[in-house]
């Protein structure tokens, strides 16, 4: 396991803020980062992945469900899929303002930042996770490998160059076709691909 630079800050924030928001691009390692640190949390944890229909349905009555777990650190992954949670989290935090109640994970989209900032102002501490940098990979990969493969974990940690390259091309394709339009870029895919290539 590679220790991320944000590890110490995560535990510092857990001791002081009711909500910690970890944002960053897809596939940067947000979920892995939190799951690798769960065993060191002071409280019991509950992990919900909102891309899982089962977990999503647990939040049909989100306030009731989350109140049943108020003594745990509740980790909500892909929170951008359920923006109506933000006012509920604010209400729950205001009723019981303990540190480390919620960790929310999501892609760094304007909507996620806007919605959480409005509802959770004064209750949330943000952490932005980026791809690996050379300090995190020191001794694991060289600067040249990081430069050639980029810092996304699945690409840079892959020993086979052809698999790493294939992963990167698929990631770029998904980013261009799915993520950029969700972020508000309203242009034909071919135009976006040309801009990306330039």
């Amino acid at each position: 396991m590679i220790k991320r630079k944000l590890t110490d800050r995560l535990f510092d924030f857990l001791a002081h803020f009711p909500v910690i928001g970890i944002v960053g691009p897809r596939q940067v390692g947000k979920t892995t980062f939190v799951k690798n640190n769960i065993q060191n949390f002071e409280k019991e944890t509950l992990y919900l992945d909102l891309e899982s229909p089962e977990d999503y349905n647990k939040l049909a009555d989100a306030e009731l469900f989350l109140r049943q777990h108020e003594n745990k650190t509740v980790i909500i992954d892909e929170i951008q899929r359920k923006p109506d949670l933000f006012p509920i989290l604010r209400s729950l935090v205001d009723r019981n303002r303990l540190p480390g109640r919620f960790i929310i994970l999501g892609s760094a989209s304007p909507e996620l930042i806007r919605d959480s900032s409005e509802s959770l102002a004064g209750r949330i501490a943000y952490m932005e996770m980026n791809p690996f940098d050379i300090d995190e990979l020191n001794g694991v990969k060289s600067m040249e490998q990081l430069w050639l493969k980029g810092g996304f974990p699945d690409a840079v940690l892959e020993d086979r160059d052809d698999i790493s390259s294939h992963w990167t091309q698929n990631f770029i394709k998904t980013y261009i076709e799915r993520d950029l339009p969700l972020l508000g870029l309203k242009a034909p895919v071919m135009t976006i691909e040309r801009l990306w290539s330039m």
Side-chain angles (χ1 to χ4, degrees), residues 20 24 44 65 70 73 81 90 94 119 134 145 171 175 178 184:
I20 295 93
E44 185 181 346
F65 180 82
E70 68 181 355
T73 296
R81 294 182 56 85
R90 180 200 54 76
D94 286 351
S119 297
I134 195 61
Q145 288 172 311
F171 178 80
Y175 189 74
R178 176 181 166 188

Side-chain angles (χ1 to χ4, degrees), residues 1-191:
M1 180 179 82
I2 295 172
K3 182 178 178 183
R4 301 300 302 257
K5 281 183 171 181
L6 296 176
T7 303
D8 293 337
R9 188 182 310 166
L10 172 64
F11 285 98
D12 191 31
F13 284 178
L14 278 169
H16 294 94
F17 294 95
V19 185
I20 295 93
I22 303 175
V23 297
R26 292 184 189 280
Q27 298 297 312
V28 80
K30 299 180 295 291
T31 303
T32 302
F33 169 68
V34 171
K35 286 184 171 182
N36 284 343
N37 285 292
I38 281 177
Q39 68 273 10
N40 298 317
F41 288 6
E42 287 185 17
K43 295 187 202 176
E44 185 181 346
T45 60
L46 172 67
Y47 174 80
L48 299 169
D49 178 359
L50 296 188
E51 288 195 337
S52 157
E54 182 182 349
D55 285 353
Y56 190 91
N57 290 334
K58 287 177 184 175
L59 296 176
D61 186 343
E63 186 167 359
L64 177 64
F65 180 82
L66 294 172
R67 284 175 75 178
Q68 294 171 353
H69 300 282
E70 68 181 355
N71 295 322
K72 299 175 183 172
T73 296
V74 178
I75 301 156
I76 305 172
D77 205 346
E78 301 294 346
I79 194 164
Q80 72 274 3
R81 294 182 56 85
K82 196 159 176 57
D84 59 323
L85 271 179
F86 293 111
I88 294 168
L89 295 180
R90 180 200 54 76
S91 174
L92 292 170
V93 165
D94 286 351
R95 280 194 207 125
N96 188 2
R97 197 180 178 98
L98 294 173
R101 291 215 41 209
F102 300 99
I103 298 175
I104 60 174
L105 310 174
S107 301
S109 68
E111 292 81 12
L112 176 70
I113 301 300
R114 185 191 67 238
D115 291 344
S116 62
S117 296
E118 289 173 2
S119 297
L120 296 171
R123 302 164 185 90
I124 188 169
Y126 288 104
M127 298 171 54
E128 185 170 349
M129 180 165 278
N130 295 305
F132 286 131
D133 67 28
I134 195 61
D135 293 332
E136 290 173 316
L137 293 174
N138 195 12
V140 179
K141 296 286 180 178
S142 69
M143 176 67 106
E144 181 180 346
Q145 288 172 311
L146 181 63
W147 179 256
L148 292 173
K149 293 183 177 183
F152 286 89
D154 286 340
V156 76
L157 296 175
E158 175 56 55
D159 291 328
R160 286 181 47 188
D161 291 341
D162 61 326
I163 299 296
S164 175
S165 177
H166 187 71
W167 182 91
T168 302
Q169 291 306 314
N170 286 330
F171 178 80
I172 292 169
K173 183 174 176 56
T174 301
Y175 189 74
I176 287 173
E177 292 177 359
R178 176 181 166 188
D179 293 345
L180 288 178
L182 288 174
L183 292 172
L185 184 58
K186 305 292 184 207
V189 171
M190 289 298 294
T191 303

